[in-house]
């Protein structure tokens, strides 16, 4: 991937790059400087239609869905290898577009490689079953792809969250249309080019960049769409679920979170502080599963706050491309303003700002969207910062006396994505994990997942599962075939 080709990106439809039909473009800014970085085509409804048409034709005409899966396994394996070989340029492109430190983008690309490897291994194992039924009958299922699947991705892990859902969809034999977030479309388009080189047939993977409300809704509303996977805000997720319901489409929604972290008195303090620091300041807190609500036993409150502010004040802020930088800018100036509002509101309500709480305005950070890692304590019970998803590097700290109190507080949220428990007591760990209303629980660990583990939320955090074997079921369906074998034929 040549650096010089980074300036202008078009749509990727039917195996080639095409400009949007209306010729509209969006200028993308480097979040570390707010200077123009590149431009991307802004698709309209006609382009969405063209992508769905290309996908539907490829699904019908190419051998992608029809064969035994060995072709898909080979193409996805090759795609993983090509991406790995080009991982540094993908990581750089991600960092320049989205802002996160290179170290994190490298980790994201490695995760994408692993995801492709995992699902390539399942591509030739999409199997039906035989079911015992009475009489001279054979009952079996065929596991078939759905057809054209639509995937709408957010800006916080642009490539990772795109591939997390398109990899199983491709492995199961579908044709895919991906809409990346308007702010961060670059790595998705670069990935589509690579998929062609890897042998994914033209039209099987299409990328349409453009606004969610126009192009995203057009994709979901298209008669050829057979399923929708959406990662992003609850507001847009609800809109998509509504549109999908009108056409009885299956939906997978990965929405927000307000992740509780419970620290019991017997926890390994240093490990816990480190894990929580990563859980809220990693990716500048722009993570759906961020560890954003710390519930710490009252006996540990003092030392914990001290150690946490040490971590927050010690993180090196700067452009993600710069060596040694530990936290990059927020993705956009609008998002920075949005996050600052939560901090101001908490401060006005009497919260103590233990660390951070303001923009980093020293040169050369002043033009970028930098916010100091922030720790808030003594929040009013009604403070928005303690209850709503902030999606920034802002941790709210509360203490508890009894375990019951901590579990109640952890569950007292509309969300339920990831919860964390820190304790050395096995009994406490397992019993608390069972009682948390949450799709995922980590014990003595920062937020962590693997392509082979189910990723899901409950309550307002989402519907359905990503990752793991089950993802193949999400992107395929079982057709039941019942055959009456009749009476055995008489010889003669
Ligand atoms: P968003 O508006 O929901 O955007 C996510 C994606 O949906 C983007 O591609 C967006 O396009 C598109 N979109 C927006 N409105 C749409 C509509 N009416 N129809 C179809 N598509 C639509 O999210 P955001 O506010 O930019 O991102 C931050 C939020 O995402 C966070 O607050 C967090 O809750 C959530 N999130 C969750 C996860 C997870 O895994 N659970 C991961 C990341 C983010 P545009 O870019 O053009 O708006
Ligand atoms: Mg939005």
């Amino acid at each position: 991937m040549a650096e010089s080709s980074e300036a202008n990106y078009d749509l990727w439809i039917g195996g080639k790059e095409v400009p949007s039909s209306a010729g509209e473009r969006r200028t993308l800014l480097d979040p570390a400087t707010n200077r123009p970085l590149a431009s991307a085509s802004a698709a309209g409804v006609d382009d969405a239609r063209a992508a769905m048409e290309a996908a539907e034709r490829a699904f019908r005409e190419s051998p992608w869905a029809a064969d035994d899966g060995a072709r898909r396994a080979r193409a996805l394996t090759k795609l993983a290898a090509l991406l790995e070989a080009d991982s540094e340029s993908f990581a750089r492109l991600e960092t320049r577009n989205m802002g996160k430190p290179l170290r994190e983008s490298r980790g994201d690309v490695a995760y994408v490689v692993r995801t492709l490897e995992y699902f390539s291994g399942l591509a030739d194992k999409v199997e039906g079953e035989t079911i015992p039924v009475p009489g001279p009958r054979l009952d079996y299922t065929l596991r078939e792809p759905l057809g054209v699947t639509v995937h709408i991705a957010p800006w916080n892990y642009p490539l990772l969250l795109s591939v997390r859902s398109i990899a199983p969809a491709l492995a199961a034999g579908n044709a895919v249309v991906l809409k990346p977030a308007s702010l961060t479309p670059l790595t998705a388009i670069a990935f589509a080019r690579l998929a062609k080189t890897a042998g994914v047939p033209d039209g099987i993977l299409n990328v349409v960049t453009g606004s969610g409300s126009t192009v995203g809704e057009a994709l979901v509303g298209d008669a050829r769409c057979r399923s929708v996977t959406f990662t992003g805000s609850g507001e847009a997720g609800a809109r998509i679920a509504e549109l999908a319901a009108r056409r009885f489409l299956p939906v997978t929604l990965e929405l927000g979170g307000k992740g509780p972290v419970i620290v019991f008195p017997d926890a390994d303090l240093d490990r816990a502080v480190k894990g929580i620091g990563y859980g809220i300041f990693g990716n500048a807190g722009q993570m759906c599963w961020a560890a954003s609500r710390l519930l710490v036993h009252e006996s540990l409150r003092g030392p914990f706050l001290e150690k946490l502010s040490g971590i927050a004040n010690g993180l090196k802020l700067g452009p993600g491309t710069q060596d040694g930088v530990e936290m990059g800018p927020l993705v956009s100036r609008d998002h920075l303003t949005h996050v600052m509002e939560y901090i101001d509101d908490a401060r006005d309500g009497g919260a103590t700002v233990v660390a951070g709480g303001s923009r980093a305005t020293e040169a050369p950070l002043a033009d970028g969207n930098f916010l100091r890692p922030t720790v808030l304590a003594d929040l009013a019970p009604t403070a928005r910062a303690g209850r709503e998803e902030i999606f920034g590097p802002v941790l709210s700290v509360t203490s508890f006396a009894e375990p019951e109190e901590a579990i109640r507080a952890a569950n007292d949220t509309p969300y339920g994505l990831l919860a964390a428990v820190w304790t050395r007591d096995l009994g406490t760990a397992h019993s608390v994990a069972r009682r948390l209303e949450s799709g995922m629980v980590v014990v003595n660990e920062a937020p962590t997942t693997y392509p082979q583990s189910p990723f899901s939320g409950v309550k307002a955090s989402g519907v359905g599962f990503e990752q793991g074997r089950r993802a193949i079921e999400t992107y395929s369906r079982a057709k039941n075939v019942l055959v009456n074998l009749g009476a055995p034929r008489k010889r003669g």
Side-chain angles (χ1 to χ4, degrees), residues 290-477:
S292 53
R293 279 189 302 146
L294 172 59
L295 302 160
V296 61
H297 189 260
E298 57 189 11
S299 63
L300 297 177
R301 187 180 186 272
F304 226 86
L305 286 182
E306 201 183 310
K307 282 175 191 277
L308 270 173
S309 14
I311 289 195
N313 296 330
L315 286 177
K316 184 172 159 50
L317 264 61
T321 47
Q322 203 171 295
D323 277 346
V325 158
E326 292 166 310
M327 198 173 97
L330 299 192
V331 72
S332 67
R333 189 48 74 96
D334 278 354
H335 189 53
L336 172 66
T337 306
H338 174 73
V339 174
M340 283 299 302
E341 279 166 12
Y342 279 104
I343 299 174
D344 294 341
D345 177 71
R347 200 188 267 120
D348 293 348
T352 309
V353 180
V354 182
S358 59
R359 283 183 55 202
T361 46
E362 65 272 22
L365 307 185
D367 292 337
N369 312 317
F370 293 93
L371 176 64
R372 294 186 199 290
T374 298
V375 179
L376 303 174
D378 314 313
L379 284 109
T382 51
R384 289 174 53 218
R387 309 197 63 81
E388 296 175 19
E389 179 176 53
I390 300 179
F391 227 62
V394 183
L395 177 69
S396 63
V397 183
T398 320
S399 44
F400 68 89
E402 296 302 325
E404 282 305 314
E405 214 184 303
I407 295 168
R408 209 176 321 115
N411 290 337
D412 181 20
T413 167
Y415 293 110
L417 192 58
L418 179 95
V421 181
W422 292 87
T423 175
R424 287 189 171 100
D425 186 283
L426 270 181
T428 304
H430 290 291
S431 60
V432 174
R434 284 174 187 223
R435 294 185 55 200
L436 291 170
E437 295 168 1
S438 162
M440 298 172 284
V441 178
V442 285
V443 178
N444 297 333
E445 178 88 86
T448 304
T449 185
Y450 297 96
Q452 58 270 40
S453 313
F455 190 106
S456 76
V458 298
K459 304 198 303 196
S461 290
V463 174
F465 288 86
E466 302 242 49
Q467 303 190 146
R469 281 174 175 272
R470 202 184 292 244
I472 295 290
E473 286 167 27
T474 301
Y475 297 107
S476 61
R477 63 193 161 79

Side-chain angles (χ1 to χ4, degrees), residues 125-390:
K125 299 169 192 71
V126 185
E127 296 166 349
E129 47 194 0
T130 53
I131 298 139
V133 292
R137 296 181 180 86
L138 171 64
D139 192 80
Y140 64 95
T141 58
L142 294 170
R143 217 164 236 286
E144 298 178 335
L146 304 177
V148 180
T149 59
V150 166
H151 307 252
I152 300 177
W155 47 256
N156 59 337
Y157 292 89
L159 185 65
L160 190 156
L161 293 180
S162 297
V163 177
R164 183 173 76 175
S165 76
I166 66 176
L170 290 171
N174 299 280
V176 158
V177 178
L178 166 67
K179 194 208 87 67
S182 294
L183 290 172
T184 56
L186 301 186
T187 45
I189 301 169
F191 181 78
R193 289 184 200 139
L194 212 58
K196 182 178 170 107
T197 313
V200 174
D202 291 351
I204 291 293
L205 168 55
N206 307 277
V207 181
V208 220
T209 55
S211 118
S213 50
T214 312
V215 90
E217 293 201 13
L219 294 173
V220 177
D222 191 286
R224 290 160 286 211
C225 171
R226 289 286 171 270
S227 88
V228 189
T229 303
F230 168 82
T231 308
S233 64
E235 199 187 358
R239 172 75 184 136
I240 282 163
E242 251 175 63
L243 292 173
R246 285 188 207 153
R247 300 203 31 248
F248 311 108
L249 294 176
V251 287
T252 301
L253 304 175
E254 291 288 357
L255 309 172
K258 191 71 183 171
V261 184
I262 309 180
V263 183
F264 287 100
D266 65 338
D268 178 332
L269 204 63
D270 289 327
R271 278 187 58 207
V273 171
K274 241 176 113 185
I276 293 161
Y278 166 78
I280 188 64
F281 303 135
N283 205 6
Q286 300 165 117
M287 302 186 280
C288 50
W289 67 356
S292 53
R293 279 189 302 146
L294 172 59
L295 302 160
V296 61
H297 189 260
E298 57 189 11
S299 63
L300 297 177
R301 187 180 186 272
F304 226 86
L305 286 182
E306 201 183 310
K307 282 175 191 277
L308 270 173
S309 14
I311 289 195
N313 296 330
L315 286 177
K316 184 172 159 50
L317 264 61
T321 47
Q322 203 171 295
D323 277 346
V325 158
E326 292 166 310
M327 198 173 97
L330 299 192
V331 72
S332 67
R333 189 48 74 96
D334 278 354
H335 189 53
L336 172 66
T337 306
H338 174 73
V339 174
M340 283 299 302
E341 279 166 12
Y342 279 104
I343 299 174
D344 294 341
D345 177 71
R347 200 188 267 120
D348 293 348
T352 309
V353 180
V354 182
S358 59
R359 283 183 55 202
T361 46
E362 65 272 22
L365 307 185
D367 292 337
N369 312 317
F370 293 93
L371 176 64
R372 294 186 199 290
T374 298
V375 179
L376 303 174
D378 314 313
L379 284 109
T382 51
R384 289 174 53 218
R387 309 197 63 81
E388 296 175 19
E389 179 176 53
I390 300 179

Side-chain angles (χ1 to χ4, degrees), residues 61-190:
E61 293 175 4
S62 91
W64 188 250
D67 68 13
D68 64 357
R71 169 195 296 264
R72 301 194 297 270
R74 271 196 303 272
L76 293 176
T77 306
K78 186 157 180 207
L79 184 50
L82 289 174
L83 180 63
E84 189 167 38
D86 209 4
S87 52
E88 187 60 20
S89 36
F90 269 87
R92 284 189 176 275
L93 188 60
E94 195 80 303
T95 282
R96 293 177 60 210
N97 192 179
M98 190 273 161
K100 66 176 71 179
L102 254 182
R103 192 174 63 175
E104 293 189 29
S105 292
R106 288 181 183 130
D108 290 0
V109 176
Y111 194 93
V112 173
V113 169
R114 183 64 200 116
T115 300
L116 291 164
E117 288 170 348
Y118 177 74
F119 285 109
S120 72
L122 291 177
D124 58 355
K125 299 169 192 71
V126 185
E127 296 166 349
E129 47 194 0
T130 53
I131 298 139
V133 292
R137 296 181 180 86
L138 171 64
D139 192 80
Y140 64 95
T141 58
L142 294 170
R143 217 164 236 286
E144 298 178 335
L146 304 177
V148 180
T149 59
V150 166
H151 307 252
I152 300 177
W155 47 256
N156 59 337
Y157 292 89
L159 185 65
L160 190 156
L161 293 180
S162 297
V163 177
R164 183 173 76 175
S165 76
I166 66 176
L170 290 171
N174 299 280
V176 158
V177 178
L178 166 67
K179 194 208 87 67
S182 294
L183 290 172
T184 56
L186 301 186
T187 45
I189 301 169

